[in-house]
Amino acid sequence: MKREHWILLLLVVFAILTLFVSPFLGMESVSLRQVISPGIESKIFWNLRVPRSVLAFLAGACLAMGGLAFQALFRNSLATPYTLGVASGASLGAGLFVRFGVVFSFLGLDGLPLSAFIGACVAMAMVYGLAKLASERGFSSFTLLLAGVAMNYFFSSLLLMTQYLSDFTKSFQILRWTMGGLETVGYQSIYQMLPFIIPGMGLLLGLSRELDLLLHGEAMAIARGVDVEKVRRRIFLGTSLSVGGVVAFCGPIGFVGLMAPHICRLMLGPGHARLIPASILFGASFLCWCDTLARSLIAPAEIPVGVITALLGGPFFLWLLVKKRT
């Protein structure tokens, strides 16, 4: 068996162990028998800890896959799933919901995640429209990137104004949401998130050949028979849908989509046939462990998981810059 196959097998085993072990970590003197038998420990385990670990696993997988796809699309190793303004649009939607305090639900979705997802969709639609408007033939990755950066700043400024016009309590609620979090009770959030991430991830899976060719330039991809504009739209829509669903329910959790693809690329090389499953598995496991740290470091209180990923991602980003220079 080749080295790459061994690494993938180890990542599969590591992901399974992470998903099984993480709900137990932080529980004081709770045995497997107590978890299985009826009781308060069993209810806490199955209604709080297991859903939270599953939510972290799914969110990490989507963020890692989105980062990998955008890095290939833009041929930029520093691209993240939030490059095109998904996080800022969702944050503005959530901020407006908190600011005006309108309580509503639609098709079983609560108002806050629904508002965040609508904000993400509005941001994506505006980025796509600007990119189409700025380009004569379809739209290029460069114009798409510039439109995303512009929308990112625009929605971020609107969010700051929304916070400034809110009272102290609502301003803190907005700030806390933008830090990202995986707090959930029961499996409702997971069920509500699946209709967004399943089709989104489905659009991205199976693009290993196209992503490999895009890394060598659009001219190379076209010469090899790839419909670049169609693939670009597929990546744009798939990433926006899956990452928008994650941000709507978990808030903007940064650096997972940057770190996971790079670490897997160091282990397996640039081929996306191996990178796609490796990044999904590593990103899912990584966010699970970050969430375990977030709820264990200052227990019984907890740190927002976005703070943990940022603390780990900042030094990694600096190391990446130094490594690319050397």
Side-chain angles (χ1 to χ4, degrees):
M1 188 180 290
K2 294 182 179 180
R3 173 179 171 272
E4 292 84 359
H5 295 157
W6 278 112
I7 293 175
L8 282 174
L9 181 60
L10 288 174
L11 285 174
V12 170
V13 174
F14 180 65
I16 293 173
L17 288 176
T18 297
L19 193 57
F20 179 78
V21 171
S22 58
F24 289 95
L25 298 178
M27 297 182 72
E28 296 182 1
S29 64
V30 176
S31 64
L32 185 61
R33 183 178 179 181
Q34 288 176 300
V35 168
I36 297 174
S37 60
I40 187 64
E41 294 86 359
S42 178
K43 291 182 179 179
I44 292 174
F45 182 82
W46 292 109
N47 293 325
L48 292 177
R49 290 181 169 269
V50 171
R52 182 165 179 158
S53 295
V54 173
L55 186 65
F57 197 86
L58 293 174
C62 291
L63 293 175
M65 183 65 213
L68 179 66
F70 272 4
Q71 287 167 15
L73 175 63
F74 298 121
R75 299 173 62 196
N76 188 334
S77 58
L78 302 182
T80 74
Y82 306 141
T83 298
L84 298 187
V86 175
S88 57
S91 298
L92 178 61
L96 291 174
F97 174 83
V98 174
R99 169 65 180 82
F100 294 105
V102 180
V103 179
F104 68 96
S105 63
F106 179 73
L107 296 177
L109 293 175
D110 295 332
L112 181 58
L114 186 60
S115 300
F117 186 75
I118 292 172
C121 291
V122 170
M124 291 296 97
M126 293 183 68
V127 167
Y128 186 85
L130 281 175
K132 291 281 287 184
L133 188 64
S135 184
E136 296 179 358
R137 297 176 299 174
F139 65 94
S140 66
S141 299
F142 182 69
T143 56
L144 190 65
L145 181 61
L146 290 180
V149 172
M151 284 296 99
N152 220 331
Y153 283 117
F154 176 66
F155 282 108
S156 296
S157 62
L158 290 179
L159 178 64
L160 288 175
M161 186 174 69
T162 302
Q163 279 188 273
Y164 183 76
L165 296 176
S166 302
D167 58 35
F168 179 81
T169 301
K170 291 180 178 179
S171 180
F172 179 78
Q173 288 177 342
I174 296 172
L175 177 64
R176 176 63 186 85
W177 191 89
T178 57
M179 292 180 181
L182 295 163
E183 300 85 2
T184 184
V185 178
Y187 299 88
Q188 184 179 4
S189 297
I190 297 171
Y191 297 147
Q192 292 177 348
M193 193 171 70
L194 287 178
F196 303 112
I197 66 174
I198 289 178
M201 292 288 282
L203 288 170
L204 297 176
L205 296 174
L207 287 177
S208 59
R209 176 178 175 271
E210 289 81 359
L211 293 176
D212 284 339
L213 291 173
L214 283 175
L215 277 179
H216 293 89
E218 294 181 2
M220 171 70 76
I222 293 172
R224 295 298 179 91
V226 176
D227 188 343
V228 172
E229 188 165 350
K230 181 179 179 181
V231 171
R232 194 186 291 124
R233 284 198 300 266
R234 185 173 170 181
I235 294 173
F236 178 83
L237 180 60
T239 303
S240 301
L241 192 60
S242 58
V243 174
V246 170
V247 175
F249 290 93
C250 306
I253 301 172
F255 288 99
V256 178
L258 175 68
M259 295 176 65
H262 274 295
I263 293 173
C264 293
R265 200 174 283 117
L266 291 174
M267 295 188 294
L268 295 168
H272 285 85
R274 297 182 296 269
L275 270 181
I276 289 175
S279 297
I280 290 173
L281 292 169
F282 186 86
S285 304
F286 174 74
L287 190 56
C288 275
W289 286 107
C290 287
D291 184 55
T292 301
L293 283 176
R295 56 183 168 80
S296 302
L297 286 178
I298 57 171
E302 67 176 62
I303 303 171
V305 69
V307 174
I308 299 296
T309 58
L311 287 173
L312 296 174
F316 180 84
F317 187 82
L318 295 176
W319 172 82
L320 189 64
L321 290 177
V322 174
K323 180 177 179 296
K324 290 178 74 68
R325 180 187 176 189
T326 56

